[in-house]
Amino acid sequence: QVQLEESGGGSVQAGGSLTLSCAASGSIFSSNVMGWYRQAPGKERESVAQLTSIGSATYADSVKGRFTISRDKIKNTVDIQMSSLRPEDTAVYYCYYCNRLGGRCIKDYWGQGTQVIVSS
């Protein structure tokens, strides 16, 4: 089992910055993926950014150039630095984690979600 603890959500004005953090604990494999999803009211949950344990990062097109994901593999944490925020970035953000075997995720884990509100 893996537990995820999120922090850093809040309210900012458009154009501002915010950093979210997530700490994973429990049964951590050496091969894994950590990242962030988000879900706005009435919308589908979407991937924001993911980062594998070997350093491969993937970003949603809507956040490229504005968000930066990073990891501390020793502390099992992942941060996402969000800059130039827009009202459409308003959503509940969920930390994501999976352990990998043979290059494939075997089980998904989710944080409880943290609210990000961007005011125009």
Side-chain angles (χ1 to χ4, degrees):
Q1 290 296 116
V2 174
Q3 290 76 47
L4 302 174
E5 183 174 357
E6 302 151 329
S7 62
S11 181
V12 297
Q13 292 188 335
S17 299
L18 198 64
T19 298
L20 306 180
S21 298
C22 178
S25 61
S27 183
I28 305 299
F29 288 11
S30 59
S31 181
N32 58 68
V33 178
M34 294 192 75
W36 293 90
Y37 284 72
R38 67 185 181 187
Q39 187 168 26
K43 304 293 185 180
E44 298 291 326
R45 186 176 297 187
E46 64 174 349
S47 176
V48 178
Q50 310 293 321
L51 188 59
T52 72
S53 49
I54 60 172
S56 179
T58 302
Y59 293 90
D61 287 343
S62 60
V63 308
K64 287 180 180 177
R66 301 189 297 122
F67 292 10
T68 301
I69 189 168
S70 61
R71 298 183 58 160
D72 186 321
K73 294 181 65 177
I74 296 175
K75 296 192 293 186
N76 295 318
T77 60
V78 61
D79 292 349
I80 185 161
Q81 180 180 337
M82 306 185 294
S83 301
S84 302
L85 284 162
R86 306 165 179 168
E88 54 262 42
D89 294 318
T90 296
V92 176
Y93 284 70
Y94 297 90
C95 183
Y96 170 82
Y97 176 90
C98 75
N99 284 319
R100 300 179 73 183
L101 289 175
R104 302 184 66 180
C105 286
I106 58 173
K107 184 175 176 63
D108 297 336
Y109 294 91
W110 300 93
Q112 65 182 348
T114 184
Q115 178 74 62
V116 172
I117 299 175
V118 184
S119 301
S120 60

